[in-house]
Amino acid sequence: MMSDISDQALAIAEKVEAFVRATVIPYEKDPRRDHHGAPTDEMVMEMREHARAAGVLTPHIFDDGSHLNQRETAVVLIKSGLSPLGPLACNTMAPDEGNMYLLGKEGSPEHKERFLKPMVEGRVRSAFFMTEPAEDGGAGSDPSMMKTTCRLDGDHWVVNGRKTFITGAQGARVGIVMAKAEDVVQGRGACMFLVDLPDPAIRIDHVPNTIDSSMPGGHATLTIDNLRVPADQMLGEAGEGFRYAQVRLSPARLSHCMRWLGACIRAHEIATDYANRREAFGKPLIEHEGVGFMLAENMIDLKQAELMIDWCAGVLDTGSLGTVESSMAKVAVSEALMRIADHCVQVMGGTGVTDRTIVEQVFREVRAFRIYDGPTEVHKWSLAKKIKRDWKAGL
């Protein structure tokens, strides 16, 4: 896998790993957490100052705005994921990493200076406003169900609607808001808007406790009430929002796989150490086949996940949207990581379900990841539709 990755990318990955292991991992016991266990912004910014000093802040984006390719990004983001706090410290976290990618691809020079630059510098967090409440019949895995509307009023667009599971909205300073225009003259279809946060027209109604706890600001439900956005803060063209979402979607979906692979590599390290040190029934746990086989299966799943990520990243590097390939990777990797995390908990027994190590957190985070960016079933359904299309085309 590494043979044709640039020496520059490998060196960055090595620096990131050293930083995460030496500086970030000690923060895992830091008590500065919000109501659902996520790190506070104070703690995040403190870690980022250390990352800045170590030269590993936003390591996949360079000062001139150029970006490691997707295969090279993978080797770096996997290392940042060795701690659940690593992506926060290195500014490779979701949703910011995907938002930075989108703005780098589609933002105007003015957008990049005003919104992208402070994100790349790690000085602000961002949020992506797409998902809507199920009780409203809004958009979830099916974005065509979007209820949030936008209409042109002079030189502003007016946005109204409700959103839910908006990661990091509480405390974010940059927002990308998706809404649907319905006017024939003004343009039909989805639109994306860049907004400064907080804004009095965006009211956070509720931040739930969730199974995961790695995202600052949680996953808010909020109301958008007559939000006025200057027309020049539309990202791209009216009605093209779903197309821009596809630009962001596959790389962001894959970067989730990268980061959580790193976390599962670390969980496997912890479980392996435990199994070699802990004795039961007269010998170390690793010598009991039931335990040893689980760790052996982890080795296989870790390598398969790594290769699947590299394959999909290579497709994206050709310029393809990689919609099919990223669906395949999301299913394969998320399901493999779930098996790995579950094995790690099982191998460690009672210790595995406590917060003495990060293993139980990795288990919770990966369980949520199987739903993020489309649950497994949606991706399989999408792939099945392609199978049918290809079959019909071959008749």
Side-chain angles (χ1 to χ4, degrees):
M1 173 181 174
M2 302 296 180
S3 59
D4 54 350
I5 300 294
S6 70
D7 290 341
Q8 179 188 35
L10 293 174
I12 293 170
E14 184 177 351
K15 283 181 65 177
V16 168
E17 178 173 5
F19 172 73
V20 171
R21 291 191 183 275
T23 303
V24 176
I25 285 176
Y27 274 95
E28 290 172 356
K29 298 299 183 182
D30 195 299
R32 286 174 289 177
R33 306 282 173 154
D34 67 13
H35 76 284
H36 81 129
T40 63
D41 280 317
E42 175 192 23
M43 179 175 157
V44 171
M45 293 305 168
E46 185 177 303
M47 291 191 295
R48 286 187 181 178
E49 286 307 313
H50 291 305
R52 186 175 284 110
V56 293
L57 186 70
T58 326
H60 57 302
I61 301 178
F62 304 122
D63 291 340
D64 63 359
S66 61
H67 196 293
L68 290 176
N69 67 31
Q70 288 295 307
R71 293 187 66 227
E72 293 173 332
T73 296
V75 300
V76 173
L77 265 61
I78 289 169
K79 299 301 186 184
S80 76
L82 288 168
S83 168
L85 296 174
L88 302 173
C90 295
N91 200 29
T92 60
M93 58 187 268
D96 298 66
E97 189 272 334
N99 290 344
M100 288 188 284
Y101 182 87
L102 175 61
L103 281 173
K105 291 287 187 181
E106 303 295 341
S108 68
E110 294 76 16
H111 293 158
K112 292 177 181 179
E113 178 65 25
R114 179 175 169 185
F115 297 103
L116 178 58
K117 183 179 178 182
M119 292 167 60
V120 173
E121 292 174 347
R123 302 190 186 282
V124 302
R125 291 195 291 102
S126 65
F128 191 77
F129 295 72
M130 185 175 74
T131 305
E132 297 172 338
E135 60 267 25
D136 297 348
S141 296
D142 182 355
S144 69
M145 296 169 64
M146 187 169 294
K147 303 292 185 184
T148 302
T149 62
C150 60
R151 60 178 177 83
L152 192 60
D153 181 23
D155 58 357
H156 284 69
W157 287 81
V158 180
V159 182
N160 284 280
R162 296 183 71 223
K163 299 289 185 179
T164 195
F165 296 116
I166 307 305
T167 303
Q170 191 168 61
R173 293 292 177 264
V174 175
I176 302 177
V177 179
M178 286 196 71
K180 184 180 285 188
E182 297 291 354
D183 188 278
V184 175
V185 177
Q186 296 171 358
R188 290 183 178 273
C191 303
M192 284 189 181
F193 301 95
L194 293 163
V195 299
D196 293 300
L197 299 173
D199 188 291
I202 300 177
R203 182 182 71 251
I204 293 178
D205 301 319
H206 177 57
V207 181
N209 290 315
T210 55
I211 192 173
D212 62 327
S213 58
S214 67
M215 308 291 194
H219 308 287
T221 296
L222 49 89
T223 299
I224 303 173
D225 185 11
N226 287 322
L227 171 68
R228 296 185 65 84
V229 186
D232 61 5
Q233 287 176 215
M234 178 180 283
L235 185 62
E237 301 296 326
E240 297 295 321
F242 288 140
R243 182 168 67 85
Y244 302 140
Q246 287 297 323
V247 170
R248 179 188 187 277
L249 189 60
S250 291
R253 183 183 293 153
L254 192 62
S255 64
H256 267 308
C257 296
M258 299 168 190
R259 289 183 293 264
W260 292 122
L261 173 57
C264 283
I265 289 171
R266 172 96 178 289
H268 178 69
E269 292 174 357
I270 294 168
T272 297
D273 182 71
Y274 184 90
N276 278 279
R277 294 178 185 276
R278 179 73 164 119
E279 290 194 3
F281 304 102
K283 56 186 177 180
L285 292 181
I286 188 69
E287 295 181 15
H288 293 277
E289 283 188 352
V291 173
F293 282 13
M294 284 191 283
L295 295 175
E297 289 166 6
N298 279 3
M299 284 184 62
I300 296 167
D301 276 334
L302 285 168
K303 178 53 69 173
Q304 288 178 336
E306 178 188 12
L307 295 174
M308 200 74 178
I309 290 169
D310 184 62
W311 165 72
C312 182
V315 171
L316 295 178
D317 282 337
T318 68
S320 168
L321 285 176
T323 305
V324 169
E325 292 83 359
S326 67
S327 284
M328 293 170 66
K330 171 58 164 58
V331 171
V333 174
S334 66
E335 297 296 326
L337 298 188
M338 186 77 255
R339 292 191 295 271
I340 294 164
D342 186 60
H343 283 156
C344 291
V345 171
Q346 193 73 9
V347 165
M348 295 177 68
T351 301
V353 299
T354 73
D355 62 0
R356 287 176 59 187
T357 75
I358 63 153
V359 168
E360 65 85 23
Q361 182 187 354
V362 172
F363 177 86
R364 291 186 287 107
E365 302 286 347
V366 171
R367 183 61 189 85
F369 170 46
R370 291 176 63 209
I371 295 173
Y372 295 158
D373 286 330
T376 294
E377 293 73 24
V378 170
H379 289 298
K380 287 182 177 178
W381 172 72
S382 176
L383 293 168
K385 288 200 301 179
K386 174 179 169 48
I387 292 168
K388 181 179 178 181
R389 287 196 306 270
D390 291 348
W391 175 79
K392 291 181 71 174
L395 291 178

